[in-house]
Amino acid sequence: MADDTTAVQPAQSEPRFGVQRIYIKDTSFESPDTPECFRRAYTPKVGFSINTRSRKIEGDVYEVVLRLTADVKQDEKTVFLVEVQQAGIFEVGGLEGERLEQVLTVTCPSILFPYGREAIDALVTKGSFPALMLAPINFEAVYMKAKRQQATEQQVPIS
């Protein structure tokens, strides 16, 4: 009689992704030129910067922090400076190396950005300024540009 039991091979770790929590880690809003700035025509120059960082918490769980900063000036004076660190806890399993890096630097920030953009807008309007609607960001394009730049820098011979 044939044995109906078959040996079960351990399955390759299937890629897993999950959002465990999205939260604001830190916020800051400064308007050093008030109330004088309200007395002038509002013709701002907006400086914007963005960066991300991630760290492994334990196992397949990572914290990703997206930092958004807008520095709005008029006549060389800071009208307001707003910064939001929008964060999330993500489970990312079954990925290693560049695939893991891409999830942490593209996928996670893409999820966090709308929350951070809304937080920036809320702070700015509560400061009595016109809404500051940040344009969407293509994190994949930013990632690919950084990879190309990194590859170019590695190819340059050091004299």
Side-chain angles (χ1 to χ4, degrees):
M1 181 168 219
D3 187 4
D4 288 340
T5 61
T6 57
V8 177
Q9 296 292 326
Q12 289 282 358
S13 184
E14 297 265 335
R16 292 181 324 281
F17 180 82
V19 179
Q20 292 188 354
R21 186 168 299 247
I22 293 176
Y23 55 97
I24 290 178
K25 191 168 185 89
D26 190 20
T27 63
S28 173
F29 181 85
E30 301 171 30
S31 55
D33 195 33
T34 55
E36 289 78 17
C37 65
F38 297 132
R39 300 178 67 196
R40 296 187 294 271
Y42 188 61
T43 54
K45 290 186 176 124
V46 179
F48 179 69
S49 67
I50 185 168
N51 66 41
T52 62
R53 70 177 190 273
S54 61
R55 69 178 179 97
K56 188 174 197 166
I57 296 174
E58 65 181 0
D60 292 337
V61 179
Y62 296 83
E63 178 188 50
V64 177
V65 179
L66 177 65
R67 187 169 122 194
L68 307 167
T69 305
D71 184 10
V72 177
K73 295 184 181 229
Q74 183 167 307
D75 301 326
E76 302 305 315
K77 291 183 179 180
T78 297
V79 176
F80 65 85
L81 176 65
V82 61
E83 180 176 280
V84 170
Q85 290 186 28
Q86 187 68 52
I89 299 173
F90 300 90
E91 180 182 3
V92 184
L95 298 175
E96 294 179 2
E98 191 167 329
R99 289 184 66 203
L100 175 61
E101 177 187 6
Q102 193 165 12
V103 167
L104 295 175
T105 58
V106 174
T107 305
C108 296
S110 294
I111 291 169
L112 295 173
F113 183 75
Y115 294 94
R117 178 173 58 188
E118 188 278 328
I120 291 252
D121 186 55
L123 287 167
V124 169
T125 56
K126 286 179 183 180
S128 190
F129 294 97
L132 182 64
M133 296 300 297
L134 301 175
I137 295 173
N138 182 339
F139 287 95
E140 185 171 9
V142 172
Y143 174 77
M144 296 307 291
K145 181 180 177 184
K147 288 304 245 183
R148 282 192 302 274
Q149 184 177 353
Q150 183 181 28
T152 301
E153 289 172 359
Q154 289 176 350
Q155 292 176 357
V156 174
I158 299 173
S159 301

